Each structure stands twice: as C-alpha cells, then as structure tokens.
Amino acid sequence: MCQDFVLRYRDFHPYRSLREAELRASPTLRGTPIGHHEAASCIGFTDRPRNPQHRLDADQAPPLLLLTSRYDVATPYRWAVNAHRQATGSRLVTFDGPGHGVYHANECTRTAADAHLLGTAPARQPNTT
C-alpha cells in the first residue's frame, strides 16, 4: 500500500491532525478501518512510491469488463468510472447497491461476467455503462 499511494507521514502528528479533521467533517461515519489501517501503516515511510497512481495504460489489453458497486466502502465508484473512461472499448457494469465484490450481487452482474469470461460477450463495444 505504501508503495502505491502517497500516504507519507514522517510521524504520528500529521496523521492525527488529518484524523481530527476527518472527525470534525464527519463525526457520525468516523472513517473506515481499511483506510485508517493503510494510512497508519505508512507512518515513517518517506521515500517516493515505487508504483504511484498514473493514467491507465490498457491500449494493448484485451477488452476489459469492470464490475463495481455504486456504494463500495473500499473503492470509490468514481475510480471505476475513471478506469472505464481510460480503457477504450471497456464495459462497466454497475451494481446499484453496496458491496466490494459484486459478481454474486445479482443476475445482471453474474451474466455480464460469465459472458465476458466465457467469450460470448461482444469483442469490443463503445464505452457504455
């Protein structure tokens, strides 16, 4: 995680300040354990990330199918939309509910994934949601 994201805190003080600001902005939600664990585990890492975020390079990839949920607690929906925009010819299937893994969410997500993986999906389609 620390090599993928710019979560750089020399010591605990900047992290604590960010946490306090988060609680002021959203006292009811209180953040997610996933995000806090990842941010706290990077305290003391001061070198540059070796694999930082960058524009998706999928021009030579086979057609991509992206499955996501609109209310994923681990990865924001806008991340999937952004990846979909960058991957020409990709398909984005959105489950309009919560969850991180959505293959089993409903018949639509299962059918889309099965068709894609089993080769019955169209080879390339314009970006559609």
Side-chain angles (χ1 to χ4, degrees):
M1 183 66 196
C2 302
Q3 291 301 334
D4 295 332
F5 292 91
V6 183
L7 297 173
R8 298 293 185 253
Y9 308 106
R10 268 194 199 288
D11 55 40
F12 188 72
H13 300 293
Y15 172 77
R16 182 175 59 197
S17 296
L18 185 62
R19 174 74 174 134
E20 289 168 355
E22 175 187 43
L23 291 174
R24 282 191 304 277
S26 182
T28 304
L29 294 178
R30 307 187 68 76
T32 71
I34 295 171
H36 289 285
H37 172 72
E38 291 168 349
S41 67
C42 294
I43 292 173
F45 279 76
T46 57
D47 58 326
R48 297 179 63 114
R50 292 192 178 132
N51 185 29
Q53 297 92 2
H54 54 83
R55 181 160 175 75
L56 183 62
D57 181 12
D59 293 339
Q60 303 302 314
L64 299 177
L65 174 67
L66 303 156
L67 295 175
T68 190
S69 70
R70 193 167 309 276
Y71 309 106
D72 185 335
V73 298
T75 54
Y77 180 65
R78 69 180 183 275
W79 288 5
V81 171
N82 189 30
H84 173 55
R85 270 192 227 118
Q86 293 178 52
T88 303
S90 67
R91 294 178 56 218
L92 176 64
V93 175
T94 300
F95 170 61
D96 194 23
H100 184 59
V102 298
Y103 173 79
H104 292 290
N106 62 25
E107 188 174 340
C108 176
T109 56
R110 282 189 307 278
T111 300
D114 290 350
H116 183 81
L117 294 171
L118 296 173
T120 59
R124 284 231 180 235
Q125 292 183 359
N127 287 345
T128 58
T129 298

